[in-house]
């Protein structure tokens, strides 16, 4: 596997950004465009030179072709025509050579090799029933998959380790909330209004497509396959890809028409793009009067239960609540297998913390971790991810606070212990135009696979937005208290929007203006106060409206007031790590898959190098030959393994031991026990194919020692004698 990735150059492009942010962003469209212009990857110098050379050679070929045709039409002498034809053929050969070089240049990311590798992985996964399309006998439904026995086992092991690594080790409060969510909850969170993607329809068949995907696919295909593109056209298409996430519905529609993009299947014209809400709608109860949705995330169940969880925790902060469960998103055009599906498993953590103290008591445990990080400054300047010590990232202000950094470090440890290659794992900071206006800082754990860099975990400091939103909608204060030993005189910022004046000025947009004014921090509020006192009016950018509006002196009162307080009441901030379990598992499948030759060298055998932690079956038990005594010993060993909590499988088929090894290697089983006597057996390790000899009564304890992580296979090799066998291999 590593050899496959060795020839894939590190991506200098920023990974695919989130499909659409849940809430409006804090920067203007113009600012976003300028950022996109900065990060649009310039054309490689070699590619640019080759494209210019190809254009020039094409012109020469056309000119020489015209010369040949003219000579033939004018009845020129045969030697003269033959010489012209020979020159034309030489030019065509030179043109073909340049085309070949250019094709290699534009495919230098190994896209063709990646496709073949992906197909090999997916074929193996489906054939061995790790996962398959749902409702297969009815031709399936896009975006829905069933996990088979080994897939279920891998998923169960990943979730068990997630609980161990986060819930148990961090003393989190685990909850389990319903998938069906009342509409009022998702209105408060903003999902009903904002959880959309832009969609287009085939005007004749009604087939739906995600608009940005069609434009993205068009640009990428042109860049990879159309070798006649001028350098200017290449730059234009790369710029479109860079600003794709920032295009409005009107701009996206204009681009689709400009490039003549049609429905992929029918080539029919497409409708104008329009927003489509990704939530599955339903009604609760038979009357149909209580609308609801299948939850698009698990987080809202935790937020609405904050008051009870805070009480359960002894009214103390910080604390974290966690939830594992199904989420649903009615994707317009699901693709990329397990990476973009309509029903999936999320594991989410909401860590509630005092906004004035985001330190973490265990931060020192992760501060010295060093791994690939991709801060926004490096992205904007066109650099690539670099290894950075987490403690340095915090001290330099790259990561906003210790608690956020602590969870970034814990996520890194979780993923690498699962078997994710640390060289193909990076933490990318959101650009300013990707973050919601309320977010303090956001990072994505991105894993490189055959589809490119895939966001698998989001780690965000969401500030106090969610609890405030539910407080406003429900009328129930979701707050925490800090009691003072003695009363304190404090100076508090007081912002009082004048709703009557704002209503007259902004009518239906009054609420959004009020919310934006109340959400101002002290610096912004005092700057507005000064401007209003000097000029009587100022411009104020409203994120939810995506425009600046005039605020007059009679529309808001801003002051600082001194008060004596016995306690401080505040809305906690939330640090949220959110894990897409299916995405992590798929990347794990790719990172652990490789091929190796059979012993005879006549075929390539598939292997998954799962760590014992996540392997679907920890070991297999084989009688070397069909023998009643050996089979009884095998059953005895299997029983002892089961009693020790070690998943195992007996294979007493009459096939050769080498073929049985190959079958279990393809399932990623780390250890195989071969019964070749009644007193001792051999244990074979999957990747090295090394074998040791162990007494029958010690087998379960040895296997458990390795699968539980108490010892490594190298430790075991030092204790037990190695065994060699000419027959017991592939």
């Amino acid at each position: 596997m590593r050899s496959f990735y060795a020839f894939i150059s590190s991506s200098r492009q920023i990974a695919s950004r989130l499909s659409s942010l849940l809430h409006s962003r804090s920067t203007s469209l113009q600012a976003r465009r300028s950022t996109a212009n900065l990060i649009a990857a310039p054309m490689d110098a070699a590619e640019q030179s080759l494209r210019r050379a190809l254009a020039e050679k094409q012109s020469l070929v056309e000119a020489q072709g015209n010369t040949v045709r003219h000579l033939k039409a004018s009845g020129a002498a045969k030697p003269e025509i033959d010489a012209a034809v020979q020159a034309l053929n030489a030019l065509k050969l030179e043109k073909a050579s340049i085309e070949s070089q250019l094709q290699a240049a534009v495919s230098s990311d190994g896209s063709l090799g990646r496709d073949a590798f992906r197909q090999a992985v997916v074929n193996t996964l489906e054939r061995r029933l790790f996962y398959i399309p749902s409702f297969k006998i009815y031709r399936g439904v896009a975006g829905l998959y069933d996990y088979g026995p080994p897939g279920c086992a891998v998923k169960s092991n990943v979730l068990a380790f997630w609980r161990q690594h986060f819930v148990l080790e961090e003393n989190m409060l685990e909850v389990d909330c319903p998938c069906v969510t009342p509409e009022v909850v998702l209105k408060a969170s903003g999902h009903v209004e904002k959880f959309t993607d832009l969609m287009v329809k085939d005007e004749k068949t009604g087939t739906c497509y995600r608009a940005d995907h069609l434009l993205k696919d068009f640009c990428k295909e042109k860049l990879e396959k159309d070798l006649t593109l001028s350098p200017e056209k290449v730059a234009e298409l790369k710029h479109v890809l860079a600003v794709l996430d920032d295009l409005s519905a009107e701009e996206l529609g204009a681009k689709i028409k400009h490039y003549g993009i049609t429905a992929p299947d029918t080539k029919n014209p497409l409708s104008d793009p329009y927003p489509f809400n990704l939530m599955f709608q339903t009604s609760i109860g038979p009357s149909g009067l209580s609308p609801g949705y299948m939850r698009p995330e698990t987080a809202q169940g935790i937020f609405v239960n904050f008051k009870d969880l805070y009480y359960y925790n002894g009214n103390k902060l910080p604390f974290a609540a966690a939830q594992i469960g199904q989420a649903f998103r009615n994707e317009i055009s699901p693709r990329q297998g397990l990476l973009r599906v309509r029903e999936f498993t999320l594991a989410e953590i909401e860590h509630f913390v005092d906004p004035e103290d985001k330190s973490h008591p265990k931060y020192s445990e992760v501060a010295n971790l060093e791994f690939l990080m991709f801060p926004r400054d490096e992205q904007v300047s066109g650099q690539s991810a670099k290894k950075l010590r987490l403690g340095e990232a915090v001290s330099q202000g790259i990561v906003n606070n210790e608690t956020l950094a602590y969870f970034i470090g814990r996520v890194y440890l979780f993923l690498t212990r699962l078997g994710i290659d640390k060289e193909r794992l990076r933490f990318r900071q959101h650009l300013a135009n990707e973050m919601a206006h309320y977010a303090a800082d956001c990072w994505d754990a991105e894993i490189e696979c055959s589809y490119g860099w895939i966001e698998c975990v989001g780690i965000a400091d969401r500030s106090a937005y969610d609890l405030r939103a539910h407080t406003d909608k429900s009328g129930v204060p979701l707050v925490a208290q800090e009691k003072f030993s003695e009363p304190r005189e404090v100076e508090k910022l007081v912002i009082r929007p004048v709703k009557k004046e704002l209503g007259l000025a902004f009518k239906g947009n009054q609420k959004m203006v009020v919310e934006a004014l109340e959400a101002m921090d002290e610096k912004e509020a005092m700057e507005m106060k000064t401007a209003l006192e000097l000029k009587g009016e100022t411009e104020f950018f409203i994120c939810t409206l995506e425009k600046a509006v005039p605020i007059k002196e009679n529309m808001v009162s801003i002051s600082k007031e001194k008060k004596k307080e016995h306690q401080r009441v505040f809305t906690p901030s939330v640090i949220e790590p959110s894990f897409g379990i299916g995405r992590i598992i798929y990347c794990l499948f790719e990172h652990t898959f490789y091929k190796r030759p059979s012993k005879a060298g006549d075929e390539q055998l598939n292997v998954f190098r799962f760590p014992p932690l996540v392997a679907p079956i920890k070991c297999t038990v084989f009688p070397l030959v069909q023998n009643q005594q050996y089979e009884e010993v095998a059953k005895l060993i299997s029983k002892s393994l089961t009693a020790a909590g070690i998943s195992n499988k007996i294979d007493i088929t009459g096939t050769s031991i080498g073929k049985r090894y190959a079958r279990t290697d393809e399932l990623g089983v780390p250890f195989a026990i071969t019964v070749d006597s009644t007193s001792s057996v051999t244990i074979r390790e999957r990747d090295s194919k090394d074998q040791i000899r162990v007494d029958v009564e010690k087998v379960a304890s040895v296997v458990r020692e390795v699968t539980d992580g108490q010892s490594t296979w190298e430790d075991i090799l030092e204790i037990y004698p190695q065994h060699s066998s000419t027959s017991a291999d592939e």
Side-chain angles (χ1 to χ4, degrees):
M1 182 60 193
R2 288 183 183 277
S3 61
F4 167 74
Y5 271 94
F7 71 87
I8 297 179
S9 61
S10 298
S11 171
R12 290 184 179 269
Q13 298 266 353
I14 296 170
S16 298
R17 305 203 314 230
L18 294 172
S19 57
S20 63
L21 291 171
L22 182 56
H23 302 290
S24 54
R25 298 159 179 175
S26 61
T27 51
S28 68
L29 191 59
Q30 184 178 2
R32 285 184 274 171
R33 293 293 160 74
S34 62
T35 303
N37 288 336
L38 284 168
I39 65 172
M43 193 193 312
D44 181 79
E47 181 188 342
Q48 186 171 1
S49 175
L50 286 168
R51 286 193 182 276
R52 292 194 185 281
L54 182 61
E56 292 171 4
K57 198 64 67 176
Q58 179 64 36
S59 297
L60 291 173
V61 168
E62 290 172 359
Q64 188 64 22
N66 290 334
T67 300
V68 170
R69 283 188 289 274
H70 175 72
L71 290 172
K72 289 180 177 179
S74 62
K78 187 175 184 302
E80 190 177 357
I81 293 174
D82 289 346
V85 169
Q86 188 175 358
L88 176 62
N89 290 336
L91 286 170
K92 285 181 176 179
L93 283 173
E94 292 171 9
K95 175 174 170 280
S97 174
I98 297 172
E99 284 177 338
S100 178
Q101 294 176 60
L102 181 56
Q103 187 65 65
V106 298
S107 301
S108 62
D109 61 353
S111 57
L112 297 177
R114 284 205 304 261
D115 291 344
F117 170 75
R118 182 193 312 131
Q119 198 57 53
V121 175
V122 171
N123 288 346
T124 306
L125 291 170
E126 292 193 3
R127 180 168 49 80
R128 296 314 303 263
L129 218 60
F130 280 86
Y131 72 87
I132 54 173
S134 299
F135 317 112
K136 197 174 178 181
I137 63 172
Y138 292 102
R139 300 185 180 179
V141 177
L144 297 176
Y145 290 90
D146 296 336
Y147 285 89
C152 280
V154 170
K155 182 179 178 181
S156 176
N157 292 337
V158 168
L159 291 177
F161 181 55
W162 189 88
R163 275 196 174 95
Q164 171 66 40
H165 188 77
F166 291 107
V167 179
L168 297 182
E169 290 188 26
E170 304 297 337
N171 198 25
M172 294 179 178
L173 311 180
E174 187 172 3
V175 299
D176 187 359
C177 305
C179 293
V180 178
T181 307
E183 183 181 58
V184 64
V185 174
L186 295 167
K187 273 191 172 181
S189 66
H191 284 83
V192 171
E193 184 182 357
K194 297 287 185 181
F195 199 63
T196 59
D197 278 335
L198 292 173
M199 182 171 77
V200 291
K201 278 188 178 180
D202 183 317
E203 290 189 340
K204 293 184 179 178
T205 67
T207 303
C208 300
Y209 303 94
R210 190 165 144 179
D212 61 331
H213 282 179
L214 291 183
L215 182 56
K216 180 180 180 181
D217 291 345
F218 170 83
C219 293
K220 292 186 77 173
E221 185 173 1
K222 291 288 283 184
L223 288 168
E224 290 175 6
K225 296 183 179 179
D226 190 347
L227 303 181
T228 64
L229 291 176
S230 67
E232 293 75 23
K233 195 67 175 177
V234 171
E236 176 191 322
L237 293 174
K238 288 190 174 185
H239 174 72
V240 170
L241 289 173
V243 302
L244 190 61
D245 290 342
D246 294 331
L247 297 178
S248 66
E250 294 75 18
E251 291 167 325
L252 196 53
K255 292 286 184 189
I256 288 172
K257 287 179 180 175
H258 173 71
Y259 292 119
I261 299 171
T262 55
D265 303 320
T266 64
K267 306 305 177 188
N268 292 331
L270 296 165
S271 69
D272 291 330
Y274 61 95
F276 171 76
N277 194 292
L278 298 176
M279 292 191 295
F280 286 97
Q281 190 165 15
T282 186
S283 59
I284 303 171
S287 68
L289 299 177
S290 179
Y293 296 89
M294 303 301 290
R295 65 184 179 190
E297 63 181 25
T298 67
Q300 301 308 317
I302 297 176
F303 294 138
V304 299
N305 284 311
F306 170 79
K307 186 177 180 180
D308 292 321
L309 291 168
Y310 180 58
Y311 174 77
Y312 180 87
N313 199 55
N315 294 328
K316 293 179 182 177
L317 285 182
F319 76 88
Q323 182 170 195
I324 298 170
Q326 296 302 99
F328 307 83
R329 297 182 186 180
N330 195 12
E331 294 284 353
I332 296 167
S333 50
R335 55 187 188 174
Q336 299 182 337
L338 293 180
L339 299 183
R340 189 173 294 280
V341 292
R342 287 174 165 143
E343 179 180 350
F344 50 94
T345 302
L346 283 178
E348 295 190 297
I349 297 165
E350 308 302 330
H351 182 90
F352 299 101
V353 63
D354 187 334
E356 294 183 5
D357 181 12
K358 293 182 181 178
S359 61
H360 197 286
K362 294 166 69 176
Y363 166 68
S364 60
E365 295 179 14
V366 301
N368 289 320
L369 290 175
E370 186 176 79
F371 45 80
L372 283 173
M373 299 189 78
F374 204 4
R376 65 172 63 97
D377 287 347
E378 273 69 16
Q379 297 173 56
V380 169
S381 60
Q383 299 178 52
S384 55
K386 62 182 180 182
K387 285 195 174 180
L388 189 63
R389 196 172 63 83
L390 191 55
E392 290 178 14
V394 174
S395 62
Q396 293 173 19
I398 296 171
V399 176
N400 184 269
N401 57 77
E402 284 187 7
T403 297
L404 184 64
Y406 178 73
F407 279 106
I408 289 173
R410 292 291 290 168
V411 168
Y412 170 79
L413 293 173
F414 170 74
L415 293 173
T416 52
R417 287 173 186 171
L418 282 182
I420 296 299
D421 182 354
K422 63 182 180 181
E423 299 302 325
R424 284 181 277 148
L425 167 64
R426 72 181 185 190
F427 288 81
R428 186 183 71 83
Q429 188 176 28
H430 283 205
L431 296 170
N433 63 324
E434 289 182 278
M435 293 210 305
H437 64 278
Y438 52 78
D441 196 7
C442 300
W443 293 76
D444 288 339
E446 296 181 335
I447 303 173
E448 188 184 26
C449 70
S450 63
Y451 290 104
W453 288 97
I454 302 299
E455 174 213 341
C456 294
V457 186
I459 310 116
D461 183 338
R462 295 176 60 87
S463 190
Y465 175 84
D466 301 280
L467 294 181
R468 282 178 179 156
H470 287 297
T471 294
D472 293 344
K473 192 72 175 177
S474 68
V476 177
L478 302 177
V479 295
Q481 299 89 30
E482 178 193 4
K483 292 186 178 179
F484 302 143
S485 55
E486 294 182 4
R488 295 182 185 177
E489 186 172 85
V490 296
E491 190 175 56
K492 299 196 73 173
L493 174 69
V494 180
I495 302 172
R496 295 189 180 93
V498 182
K499 294 183 179 180
K500 179 181 176 182
E501 297 296 335
L502 292 169
L504 290 171
F506 301 108
K507 300 189 169 40
N509 293 328
Q510 180 219 45
K511 182 183 176 185
M512 286 184 276
V513 178
V514 169
E515 288 175 350
L517 288 169
E518 291 177 336
M520 287 190 295
D521 60 27
E522 184 172 330
K523 181 175 180 291
E524 189 177 15
M526 297 313 292
E527 286 175 354
M528 177 179 282
K529 176 181 171 65
T530 302
L532 291 174
E533 288 173 350
L534 290 173
K535 302 176 185 176
E537 183 176 324
T538 187
E539 289 286 303
F540 181 52
F541 185 78
I542 309 293
C543 304
T544 47
L545 296 177
E546 292 195 341
K547 66 178 182 179
V549 299
I551 299 294
K552 297 182 179 178
E553 197 172 9
N554 63 340
M555 294 179 179
V556 63
S557 165
I558 302 171
S559 61
K560 283 190 174 182
E561 299 178 3
K562 289 188 176 181
K563 294 183 178 180
K564 277 196 173 182
E565 291 186 343
H566 295 270
Q567 66 175 10
R568 172 174 157 252
V569 179
F570 60 93
T571 305
S573 285
V574 177
I575 311 292
E576 180 192 69
S578 177
F579 299 73
I581 298 301
R583 289 186 169 198
I584 293 170
I585 289 172
Y586 179 77
C587 291
L588 178 64
F589 288 152
E590 283 206 8
H591 282 211
T592 56
F593 181 83
Y594 68 101
K595 288 177 176 284
R596 64 184 176 199
S598 62
K599 186 177 181 183
D602 56 348
E603 61 178 323
Q604 290 290 312
L605 303 175
N606 301 324
V607 185
F608 284 104
R609 60 159 72 89
F610 296 128
L613 180 71
V614 296
I617 302 169
K618 307 303 182 191
C619 67
T620 48
V621 186
F622 305 145
L624 182 61
V625 294
Q626 288 184 313
N627 174 296
Q628 184 65 37
Q629 282 186 309
Y630 289 179
E631 288 180 15
E632 290 301 320
V633 173
K635 290 176 183 177
L636 182 66
I637 290 172
S638 176
K639 188 175 180 180
S640 66
L641 289 167
T642 303
I646 300 167
S647 59
N648 63 92
K649 183 180 181 181
I650 294 183
D651 187 343
I652 57 174
T653 58
T655 55
S656 71
I657 195 70
K659 287 184 178 178
R660 282 183 276 175
Y661 281 151
R663 281 203 299 259
T664 58
D665 289 348
E666 197 172 48
L667 283 172
V669 181
F671 303 107
I673 298 164
T674 303
V675 180
D676 56 0
S677 82
T678 56
S679 58
S680 67
V681 298
T682 64
I683 302 177
R684 170 194 181 263
E685 196 272 334
R686 175 197 58 223
D687 298 310
S688 66
K689 297 188 280 189
D690 290 337
Q691 297 185 54
I692 58 171
R693 183 161 290 280
V694 178
D695 293 341
V696 169
E697 60 272 14
K698 293 183 179 179
V699 169
S701 62
V702 170
V703 174
R704 183 172 184 176
E705 194 174 330
V706 183
T707 56
D708 283 358
Q710 300 170 33
S711 301
T712 65
W713 178 248
E714 288 69 27
D715 296 332
I716 298 298
L717 286 175
E718 292 180 4
I719 301 172
Y720 294 93
Q722 277 194 258
H723 172 80
S724 61
S725 170
T726 56
S727 61
D729 206 282
E730 295 79 12

